[in-house]
Amino acid sequence: MSTTTPRTTAPAGRRPAPALLALLAALVSLLAAVGLTAPTASARTLGPVPAATLTEVTGFGTNPSNLRMYVYAPANVTAHPAVLVAVHYCTGSGPAMYNGTEYARLADRYGFVVVYPSVTRSSKCFDVSSPQALRRGGGSDPVGIKSMVDWTVRTYAGDTGRIFVTGISSGAMMTNVLLGDYPDVFAAGAAFAGVPFGCFATGDGSEWNSQCAGGNVIHTPQEWGALVRNAYPGYTGPRPRMQVWHGTQDDTLRYPNFGEEIKQWTNVQGVGQTPAATDSPVAGWTRTRYGATGDRAPVEAVSLQGVGHNVYGNGMGARVLTFFGLDASGPGPGPEPQPGPCRVTAATSAWSTGLTASVTLTNTGSATINGWKLGFTLPAGQTITNGWGAGYAPASGAVTATDAAYNGTLAPGASVTIGYQANHTGDSAAPGAFTLNGAACTRG
């Protein structure tokens, strides 16, 4: 047995671009904030890994760039489970991605298997720029990750129709690359602060492309789409759906890359550039959907106003699973979601065209909550006119109540009561479901 801890500094040798080191500091803060500890990873080569334990797998198949593979399989792994590949950021590692995201906890809830690739080159950045990486079967990191997927599918009789990938920064770039190289493998991807497929391409062996990082590589949708199609010439099958996330103040991989990703993947999907739906699921977020209006649109894009490169936050993993269809509302076998560490009671007092609502949130978990966002959907015809104890946005539809300065900390067992007034057109009921920082709450 050996203990593997996430790196917090780049090792000696070739160092990543200085801008990406700023990301590391932010992500280290995130790891500290969520209070997770480094896992113990034992190496295995045959058979399923120990349940509910991050485990390194060796000898998993063709691996031209010497990646390491870590796997998390929950105790309640389903028959023919879905497979989620979670790809780390520059200077990160598979165990760091395990620590800093909630995908393992979500796997415990829904029964899928998580694969965490881990770079061994000195920069700890994935190869998203070489000619080898940007074509199917060309070598380098995508081939190794494809081998990890194949191993997992063989070992767990995985559902080949439900293989997904998500990543942060360098991992987001690799998400774009994998969807281009292996459209017949992945059903969908979710990229947090990435760039389009092929944007980082270089021909001199460099891992860094300043023009792309600076948001200066601009193409037409058709040109971007052609880069993806050329990665697997002759492929005519269905293409993976794509979800992209980006902060407007990203100074590492600048915000224009967000729009270029949208252009690329809408073209690949053959859908229009005009959103089929636009909403704001959280204050400061703008979500656009292309080709359809539901949770599984061909392309979904989430822009976060005023947010920098460290765009990923707790609760976003649950939204990724909704887009993938891996949550309780998704297709295929899977356990019912378990109650989150929160309970909500809600009641309304109504008159002819108006109502007053009282909502009490209780922290039923064992850890203190520092900062909360309570999500709920108002019944049709209701519009909030004012509120207290929280900020409310938007005023109708899917609403997020954000804590006030004085009530953002909830110790275990503690409660906070908030409320609002609203107009209604006949339905004066309280919301039927609530989420706390993206996790479902029980009603009671």
Side-chain angles (χ1 to χ4, degrees):
M1 299 287 287
S2 61
T3 299
T4 305
T5 55
R7 291 187 180 273
T8 57
T9 59
R14 187 171 192 168
R15 298 181 63 84
L20 289 179
L21 294 177
L23 169 63
L24 176 61
L27 288 168
V28 168
S29 298
L30 173 62
L31 298 184
V34 298
L36 295 172
T37 58
T40 298
S42 59
R44 295 174 63 90
T45 57
L46 299 173
V49 301
T53 303
L54 185 69
T55 304
E56 183 174 7
V57 173
T58 60
F60 51 84
T62 304
N63 183 22
S65 54
N66 195 33
L67 299 178
R68 298 174 73 174
M69 174 185 181
Y70 296 85
V71 174
Y72 182 87
N76 63 334
V77 64
T78 62
H80 309 297
V83 178
L84 174 61
V85 180
V87 193
H88 68 73
Y89 44 89
C90 275
T91 74
S93 67
M97 193 69 174
Y98 166 87
N99 277 339
T101 62
E102 65 267 47
Y103 295 114
R105 298 195 299 277
L106 292 167
D108 289 335
R109 181 179 298 179
Y110 298 117
F112 57 86
V113 179
V114 191
V115 175
Y116 299 94
S118 197
V119 170
T120 58
R121 66 178 59 87
S122 61
S123 67
K124 298 298 186 287
C125 297
F126 285 92
D127 175 13
V128 296
S129 57
S130 75
Q132 293 76 22
L134 296 174
R135 68 176 187 270
R136 179 185 178 86
S140 196
D141 296 347
V143 168
I145 295 173
K146 169 64 162 51
S147 295
M148 297 178 195
V149 170
D150 291 344
W151 182 95
T152 307
V153 169
R154 289 194 308 269
T155 303
Y156 289 93
D159 183 346
T160 56
R162 295 193 299 148
I163 299 173
F164 305 93
V165 58
T166 185
I168 300 170
S169 190
S170 180
M173 297 190 233
M174 179 53 69
T175 296
N176 279 266
V177 168
L178 288 170
L179 295 195
D181 286 357
Y182 296 103
D184 55 333
V185 173
F186 295 96
F192 289 84
V195 304
F197 178 100
C199 185
F200 241 60
T202 59
D204 59 1
S206 172
E207 296 178 27
W208 186 254
N209 185 319
S210 296
Q211 285 296 104
C212 178
N216 299 315
V217 178
I218 308 297
H219 290 302
T220 67
Q222 178 65 29
E223 289 169 342
W224 279 125
L227 290 176
V228 171
R229 289 183 285 271
N230 290 340
Y232 187 6
Y235 177 73
T236 58
R239 293 283 177 171
R241 296 179 300 110
M242 179 56 129
Q243 181 187 63
V244 294
W245 301 68
H246 222 103
T248 62
Q249 299 302 310
D250 192 330
D251 59 1
T252 301
L253 300 173
R254 293 191 178 275
Y255 187 66
N257 284 299
F258 176 67
E260 299 304 296
E261 284 179 290
I262 295 171
K263 288 159 61 176
Q264 182 170 70
W265 292 105
T266 51
N267 181 266
V268 168
Q269 284 286 344
V271 300
Q273 300 287 300
T274 301
T278 302
D279 65 357
S280 181
V282 173
W285 294 13
T286 300
R287 178 173 61 188
T288 48
R289 288 167 167 166
Y290 301 83
T293 60
D295 288 336
R296 298 173 204 163
V299 178
E300 180 174 281
V302 187
S303 172
L304 284 72
Q305 182 64 38
V307 175
H309 191 58
N310 188 16
V311 68
Y312 184 88
N314 280 332
M316 293 180 180
R319 294 180 182 273
V320 168
L321 260 59
T322 296
F323 178 75
F324 288 167
L326 285 179
D327 60 3
S329 63
E336 289 298 312
Q338 300 302 306
C342 50
R343 183 177 67 251
V344 172
T345 59
T348 60
S349 177
W351 59 94
S352 58
T353 60
L355 63 87
T356 299
S358 177
V359 179
T360 299
L361 165 66
T362 302
N363 177 9
T364 58
S366 58
T368 297
I369 296 170
N370 292 302
W372 50 264
K373 293 181 183 292
L374 189 66
F376 54 91
T377 299
L378 291 173
Q382 291 188 16
T383 302
I384 294 175
T385 56
N386 62 77
W388 50 92
Y392 299 83
S396 61
V399 177
T400 298
T402 302
D403 63 86
Y406 60 87
N407 64 7
T409 299
L410 287 177
S415 299
V416 60
T417 297
I418 61 176
Y420 57 86
Q421 286 186 325
N423 295 328
H424 69 85
T425 58
D427 188 345
S428 60
F434 294 83
T435 60
L436 173 63
N437 295 342
C441 296
T442 57
R443 286 292 303 270

